[in-house]
Amino acid sequence: MRVSVFCSSAPNIPQTSLELAFNIGKAIGDQGWDLVWGGGKASMMGEVAKGARSTGAATIGVIPEGLKKVEFEDTDATNMHVVTNMRTRKAKIEDLAEAFIILPGGIGTLEEFFEIWVGRYLKFHHKPIAVCDPTGVYAPLQVAIDHLAAQNFMKAGQAELVSWCSDIPTTIEAIRIK
């Protein structure tokens, strides 16, 4: 199976987040699965790829030409797809991956998360989605989503399409295709 991980490329984030990224990459590889990710070696993006490679997993990157130097293209990737823009990147990642894990991140990570979540709700794909958040970074987001649901801005069945997990084993189990 090929698992996509969406996560931060920001500098100066907590060491615990970098360790989480490495460990989720390692957990993916320990399952005999491969990693699909944004192709960068900065921050959490780089750590998730290192973790996957530490187990011998293939790492399949997708990076826009314009970000090769900004996100520092990971030249150790098993395979790197260089694309023209972010929309093409997201579409290629969605095509390549069979499941999605969301780790802590900023607006780019959130954009990827929401796009893949909406795509699943609209039945453009049926791939599992799990948020791995052991430190509660996304707790305010969960409160906001619950508030939207309570105000009837979310449709029935939308919230159930995402597994919110507080540890790596639960996350791996949540995306396991049965």
Side-chain angles (χ1 to χ4, degrees):
M1 181 162 80
R2 291 181 309 274
V3 179
S4 175
V5 175
F6 299 136
C7 59
S8 181
S9 64
N12 304 318
I13 59 173
Q15 181 64 32
T16 55
S17 294
L18 297 173
E19 291 166 4
L20 172 64
F22 182 90
N23 289 329
I24 204 81
K26 184 176 181 315
I28 288 167
D30 285 343
Q31 297 300 309
W33 301 339
D34 295 325
L35 172 69
V36 177
W37 94 117
K41 64 180 179 181
S43 190
M44 290 176 76
M45 287 181 68
E47 290 301 310
V48 74
K50 286 180 195 172
R53 282 194 292 268
S54 76
T55 67
T59 53
I60 304 150
V62 183
I63 193 165
E65 179 67 41
L67 292 182
K68 287 173 68 173
K69 290 190 173 43
V70 176
E71 291 182 349
F72 308 105
E73 177 184 6
D74 188 337
T75 56
D76 292 328
T78 307
N79 189 4
M80 184 66 69
H81 299 269
V82 179
V83 296
T84 56
N85 57 49
M86 289 299 285
R87 289 184 176 152
T88 306
R89 178 197 224 179
K90 291 183 293 180
K92 185 70 172 175
I93 288 172
E94 183 179 337
D95 286 343
L96 291 170
E98 298 167 85
F100 301 92
I101 295 174
I102 294 80
L103 298 179
I107 60 173
T109 303
L110 290 173
E111 179 199 19
E112 292 164 329
F113 169 39
F114 283 118
E115 185 168 327
I116 214 70
W117 186 1
V118 169
R120 179 149 185 220
Y121 176 72
L122 296 175
K123 299 188 183 342
F124 290 117
H125 71 85
H126 300 283
K127 302 169 184 179
I129 303 166
V131 176
C132 183
D133 186 19
T135 60
V137 170
Y138 288 133
L141 177 61
Q142 282 187 278
V143 169
I145 289 168
D146 290 344
H147 178 73
L148 291 172
Q151 298 296 313
N152 295 320
F153 286 108
M154 290 188 61
K155 296 174 183 164
Q158 287 179 324
E160 293 77 17
L161 298 175
V162 174
S163 298
W164 295 83
C165 306
S166 60
D167 60 43
I168 292 172
T170 306
T171 304
I172 293 298
E173 195 54 39
I175 63 163
R176 188 178 305 283
I177 297 174
K178 292 155 175 81

